[in-house]
Amino acid sequence: MNKTMHKLMKYQLANLTFCPATKTVVKADGSVEKLRPQLANILTLFIENKGQLISSELLHSSVWKKRTVEDKTVQAALTKLRASLGWQADENLINERSEGYRLVCEVTELIESIEEKIDKPSETLAEKITTNTIVKPLYAALYVSLTLTLIIMLYVHFSTDHSVNGKTFTTKPITYIKGQELNPSLSPDGKYLAFTHAKSKTLQYQVKVKLLSSNQFLSVDEAEFSSTPSWSRNGSTLYYQAFTQEECWVKKVELIGEMTFAKPEIITSCGKEKSESPVVVDNDNEWLYFSYKTALNKPMQIKRINLNTEKVQQLTSPTEDAYGDYSLSLSPDGKTLAILTFDSAALGRAYLMNLQTKEQVLAFSYSHLLYNVSWAKDGESFFYIDQDAYIVQFNLAKKSHRQITKLSQPSQTIQVIKDHHFLVGFGEFYISDLYKATLGSYKTVQLQESYFNDHSITPISTSPEQYVFVSNRSGLQQIWLYNNGSLKQLTHYQKSLSIKELNLSGNASALVYLTDARLNVMDLKPKQPRYQQVASSDALFRSPIWHCNNHTILASTKIKDVWSLAEIKPSTGTVNILLQGVTGIKADCNNDKYYVTQEEKFGIYLLSNLANHLLGDLPEKLPESLSENIQAIPYLADYYLGSGRQWLVDNDVAYFVHQRAFYSTILNGSTEPVKHMSNINLKEFKILDAKLYFSEKVLNDSYIAQISDNGSKKQ
């Protein structure tokens, strides 16, 4: 009597287990349902492409092969599949903006061993020969094929559910409404989930509440924009921010019955800008903490209001041209505030404020965007999600970071429920694609469409079509070259970096760009382009461009907390300061003119006689002051343009983005700026041969998920 072992692959998804080999589904109640072959094939296709958008065309080709079927046939099949699985139309398997379908629940592979007893007589010599010459090579081929398949499946598994420090974590979707969901806030009794939701790319967020025992949702405010809900410690009040009538307001609603809220009440102003910053109230429901922005050219500050006396106190005062203190989290004992801030070089810092002494202590710095932190229940550490999609624990006493688990997708906001149990806004925040528009008509065509973040497009030529751009399509952000139909990866960085502000030299031979605010130059002439960091590794830059002579670089650099215009020689890395208080610079090389933006000032300023102050081949010679060469009255005096990412000048025409709209205006003209495109999240655009190149960010669909520790990993 011999025994043989067979492996049977099964999948745990949502509340059921599916076996593709037997086409059976085991539901939570233990009932078993046999799927029709076509429905089993559809479910297998979604599992193989878990989390990805599946188009109707892919369903046609994969399931119906060469048969011609109508879209309604596909829709009917998916309806039958959902019914067989016991899923609702908006649950786990969703129809996404009529573009296709997506499986949004977590999928875990289960390998089950089946032991069979087989009576097998002794082999004859002839049978041994047959086995050795025919069967064994066949077994070997099957073994290699199955091994490769298993390796691929294990790779997929461990890229979606990682084990860290001997613990395994599962991801369970809590809710999925079409659109984006983030900022989860669970009521203290665990009955209600409040979160921020946007159903379209227009960033029109709304605070919603879900009764977790059902699929019942409601919106708590009719304002055009509301965000970042936070429950009081007793669960009777929900606080949030709303934007209406050009003003940001901190509001509250009282819970007066099951899924019944009183009319919203205004508590205080949070400034003049739509805000996604958290609000939080202390244990005694006495002090409420929030971020405040007085004007577009001012950084965000942290304030608090006494809910009994209505007295407002300002807690922080960022001074430089920066985004400021944009996020906060209150410790469980109400004594310490964790604050996240971004400076003007897009470098972040997490620091702690003692609310009794107002002393501030730096916790750590970061070069990517952290949306929020959430305190552990013991108050000895807090958690955040890093750029590599890890949930990380920061220990305050040791000032150490510890990775807890890796999420299967980049995710943003996090709330600690209890030890090693979290709620997460699960999924990439934005996706972006590349576009080209014709100046004048602004007729737009899409250059590339992908599931990745493609941005910072910089044209090289229009005929043939050549451009460079940044994309995470190979995992980490890298610079890519599109060359008349082909793609080539130009950089091969081994760690996660924020790559942006690409600018091409006038002779198209070199590229200057930033990695985490450090200055880099790429020589495009060799077959394999060479790239390197220039200047000191400690120097921070923004708005780098090539001088019109193509030999030196002009950029803003931070010197003693002041942004200053500098000239940089790529060959030596020499940095020469030309003028203080300059946050960005652009060149109109067709007219040999340079324009700058100044710290906390509106508009752009013509900088005359710049060529007379450049150092050329004399790096030891310091230039004279350029302050007398700045135009006294700015162009676009009604607009705050920050650094150099949202504007440029080409042939005496200024192009800029303001309040999600694209404008142009003739400098030295008397007409008002003309709006060409509105409701568009356009970033870092370029112009070449009367063509506008840009990327547009759109909100990515995401959902609230519970990330839970399953206990010790089996060895």
Side-chain angles (χ1 to χ4, degrees):
M1 186 79 70
N2 297 314
K3 296 180 180 179
T4 60
M5 300 292 293
H6 298 277
K7 301 290 187 181
L8 190 63
M9 182 64 71
K10 295 183 179 181
Y11 298 91
Q12 180 72 43
L13 58 159
N15 56 349
L16 53 84
T17 303
F18 171 59
C19 177
T22 62
K23 300 179 176 57
T24 55
V25 171
V26 180
K27 299 183 180 180
D29 60 3
S31 62
V32 179
E33 178 156 350
K34 182 76 175 276
L35 296 181
R36 291 169 47 194
Q38 185 185 80
L39 300 185
N41 291 341
I42 294 174
L43 184 56
T44 301
L45 177 65
F46 277 104
I47 290 173
E48 292 172 348
N49 296 273
K50 196 269 296 184
Q52 299 183 34
L53 185 70
I54 304 297
S55 65
S56 296
E57 291 77 10
L58 180 56
L59 278 166
H60 286 175
S61 61
S62 300
V63 178
W64 283 270
K65 307 301 181 184
K66 296 182 180 180
R67 291 173 51 200
T68 301
V69 295
E70 298 180 355
D71 286 343
K72 64 182 181 181
T73 302
V74 176
Q75 294 168 3
L78 288 169
T79 300
K80 292 178 182 177
L81 175 60
R82 291 192 189 98
S84 298
L85 301 177
W87 292 350
Q88 301 298 318
D90 60 349
E91 183 182 25
N92 300 323
L93 181 58
I94 65 162
N95 184 352
E96 192 167 295
R97 297 178 183 168
S98 301
E99 295 178 2
Y101 304 86
R102 194 189 302 268
L103 183 66
V104 300
C105 63
E106 194 67 21
V107 177
T108 303
E109 290 89 350
L110 306 172
I111 302 177
E112 183 176 288
S113 297
I114 301 177
E115 185 178 273
E116 294 180 352
K117 296 181 180 180
I118 304 175
D119 289 321
K120 186 175 181 181
S122 300
E123 292 178 310
T124 64
L125 179 61
E127 289 170 334
K128 289 181 180 179
I129 294 174
T130 303
T131 300
N132 289 336
T133 57
I134 301 176
V135 179
K136 284 187 178 179
L138 177 60
Y139 282 172
L142 287 172
Y143 175 80
V144 171
S145 175
L146 288 170
T147 301
L148 289 173
T149 302
L150 183 58
I151 289 172
I152 292 171
M153 297 179 82
L154 287 174
Y155 173 79
V156 171
H157 172 67
F158 285 110
S159 67
T160 53
D161 262 318
H162 279 247
S163 298
V164 181
N165 300 318
K167 293 182 179 293
T168 59
F169 288 78
T170 58
T171 302
K172 176 185 177 182
I174 300 300
T175 181
Y176 194 105
I177 307 175
K178 186 180 294 185
Q180 186 177 95
E181 298 171 12
L182 66 163
N183 304 119
S185 181
L186 186 68
S187 61
D189 60 5
K191 187 175 182 179
Y192 298 100
L193 176 68
F195 59 95
T196 304
H197 172 253
K199 66 179 180 180
S200 68
K201 66 181 183 180
T202 59
L203 282 172
Q204 293 302 98
Y205 284 130
Q206 296 291 322
V207 171
K208 290 188 179 292
V209 175
K210 178 185 179 182
L211 180 63
L212 289 177
S213 60
S214 71
N215 277 324
Q216 185 180 358
F217 293 89
L218 60 80
S219 297
V220 300
D221 199 307
E222 296 181 357
E224 61 187 79
F225 181 99
S226 57
S227 67
T228 56
S230 178
W231 291 97
S232 62
R233 298 303 169 102
N234 61 9
S236 64
T237 309
L238 185 66
Y239 297 94
Y240 60 97
Q241 292 183 332
F243 189 85
T244 183
Q245 298 178 349
E246 302 302 317
E247 184 85 13
C248 176
W249 302 100
V250 178
K251 290 185 175 183
K252 70 174 183 178
V253 288
E254 300 289 344
L255 182 64
I256 57 177
E258 183 169 284
M259 286 298 277
T260 305
F261 290 88
K263 185 178 179 181
E265 299 178 40
I266 291 177
I267 298 174
T268 187
S269 170
C270 44
K272 298 293 184 181
E273 191 174 65
K274 291 178 181 177
S275 176
E276 299 161 48
S277 299
V279 296
V280 64
V281 69
D282 64 13
N283 292 336
D284 300 323
N285 220 46
E286 181 180 9
W287 289 100
L288 184 139
Y289 298 82
F290 60 99
S291 294
Y292 184 92
K293 191 174 180 67
T294 58
L296 291 175
N297 61 334
K298 299 294 182 182
M300 299 190 79
Q301 310 163 344
I302 302 297
K303 289 188 175 185
R304 69 178 180 178
I305 183 172
N306 189 295
L307 297 176
N308 299 319
T309 66
E310 298 185 356
K311 178 182 179 180
V312 176
Q313 296 179 351
Q314 183 173 322
L315 299 179
T316 67
S317 302
T319 56
E320 65 166 294
D321 174 31
Y323 192 66
D325 300 332
Y326 65 90
S327 186
L328 56 91
S329 182
L330 187 64
S331 63
D333 61 9
K335 295 180 180 180
T336 306
L337 205 60
I339 299 173
L340 301 181
T341 185
F342 252 136
D343 66 15
S344 48
L347 295 177
R349 299 186 303 277
Y351 62 94
L352 304 173
M353 172 181 282
N354 184 312
L355 290 172
Q356 293 179 331
T357 65
K358 305 301 186 293
E359 179 186 5
Q360 299 178 20
V361 178
L362 177 67
F364 59 89
S365 300
Y366 50 92
S367 58
H368 58 287
L369 179 60
L370 293 185
Y371 286 86
N372 77 311
V373 302
S374 184
W375 288 84
K377 298 304 180 183
D378 59 13
E380 296 178 359
S381 61
F382 58 73
F383 295 83
Y384 64 91
I385 302 172
D386 71 7
Q387 73 273 26
D388 297 318
Y390 277 97
I391 294 178
V392 179
Q393 182 178 18
F394 178 76
N395 184 286
L396 275 64
K398 298 178 181 179
K399 286 199 169 184
S400 62
H401 305 260
R402 185 168 70 98
Q403 293 177 338
I404 301 302
T405 185
K406 184 175 176 62
L407 305 174
S408 61
Q409 299 182 54
S411 302
Q412 288 75 42
T413 48
I414 182 171
Q415 183 193 12
V416 175
I417 303 303
K418 58 182 180 178
D419 288 348
H420 293 129
H421 288 73
F422 314 92
L423 290 181
V424 168
F426 199 78
E428 188 78 60
F429 190 75
Y430 280 114
I431 56 173
S432 56
D433 292 315
L434 306 179
Y435 297 87
K436 178 174 69 173
T438 302
L439 297 181
S441 68
Y442 287 91
K443 182 179 180 181
T444 301
V445 296
Q446 188 166 3
L447 294 173
Q448 289 193 46
E449 182 179 13
S450 72
Y451 295 112
F452 305 100
N453 280 320
D454 299 338
H455 61 91
S456 302
I457 182 170
T458 301
I460 299 175
S461 70
T462 55
S463 183
E465 187 85 82
Q466 289 182 321
Y467 52 83
V468 289
F469 64 101
V470 179
S471 178
N472 62 348
R473 59 186 59 213
S474 61
L476 300 175
Q477 284 198 38
Q478 307 286 354
I479 297 178
W480 291 74
L481 170 68
Y482 175 89
N483 184 11
N484 201 28
S486 65
L487 279 176
K488 180 180 180 180
Q489 184 175 325
L490 300 184
T491 61
H492 299 274
Y493 291 111
Q494 299 301 308
K495 64 178 183 178
S496 180
L497 296 169
S498 173
I499 304 177
K500 60 185 178 182
E501 298 202 56
L502 280 59
N503 275 292
L504 190 70
S505 61
N507 56 14
S509 66
L511 192 71
V512 62
Y513 60 97
L514 300 180
T515 56
D516 291 348
R518 271 68 180 186
L519 194 66
N520 298 263
V521 170
M522 178 184 292
D523 184 357
L524 294 172
K525 296 190 297 294
K527 186 175 182 181
Q528 181 57 48
R530 298 188 298 266
Y531 54 95
Q532 64 179 2
Q533 184 175 301
V534 298
S536 166
S537 60
D538 296 329
L540 304 179
F541 294 90
R542 65 194 294 191
S543 186
I545 65 167
W546 288 95
H547 183 270
C548 295
N549 63 18
N550 299 315
H551 298 310
T552 59
I553 297 167
L554 299 171
S556 292
T557 187
K558 202 172 187 182
I559 304 294
K560 295 181 179 179
D561 286 332
V562 177
W563 285 100
S564 301
L565 177 62
E567 179 195 20
I568 303 95
K569 294 179 72 67
S571 58
T572 63
T574 305
V575 178
N576 302 291
I577 304 303
L578 304 178
L579 181 64
Q580 288 189 336
V582 172
T583 58
I585 183 167
K586 292 291 183 181
D588 182 4
C589 288
N590 293 320
N591 297 296
D592 198 26
K593 293 180 180 178
Y594 298 86
Y595 299 85
V596 298
T597 51
Q598 298 189 73
E599 197 161 10
E600 294 191 359
K601 292 185 178 180
F602 281 66
I604 61 175
Y605 296 79
L606 176 65
L607 185 60
S608 60
N609 299 322
L610 178 60
N612 297 334
H613 291 76
L614 294 182
L615 303 180
D617 297 324
L618 301 173
E620 71 280 2
K621 179 184 176 182
L622 293 177
E624 300 175 6
S625 172
L626 283 172
S627 58
E628 69 274 12
N629 298 107
I630 290 185
Q631 172 183 298
I633 301 176
Y635 298 113
L636 304 174
D638 294 331
Y639 299 91
Y640 181 69
L641 300 174
S643 59
R645 301 182 65 186
Q646 296 296 83
W647 64 277
L648 60 78
V649 180
D650 183 70
N651 284 313
D652 287 326
V653 178
Y655 301 87
F656 64 98
V657 174
H658 176 70
Q659 296 291 333
R660 297 177 61 84
F662 185 75
Y663 294 82
S664 72
T665 186
I666 300 174
L667 299 182
N668 296 318
S670 58
T671 58
E672 291 293 317
V674 179
K675 182 189 294 187
H676 302 291
M677 295 184 284
S678 59
N679 195 25
I680 181 171
N681 196 1
L682 185 153
K683 301 288 185 181
E684 290 193 53
F685 56 90
K686 301 290 192 304
I687 290 175
L688 180 66
D689 296 339
K691 303 291 184 182
L692 173 70
Y693 291 79
F694 64 95
S695 61
E696 182 186 4
K697 284 186 172 183
V698 297
L699 292 180
N700 189 33
D701 282 352
S702 62
Y703 55 94
I704 305 299
Q706 179 177 317
I707 313 297
S708 301
D709 170 19
N710 289 331
S712 300
K713 182 181 177 181
K714 294 180 181 180
Q715 301 297 325

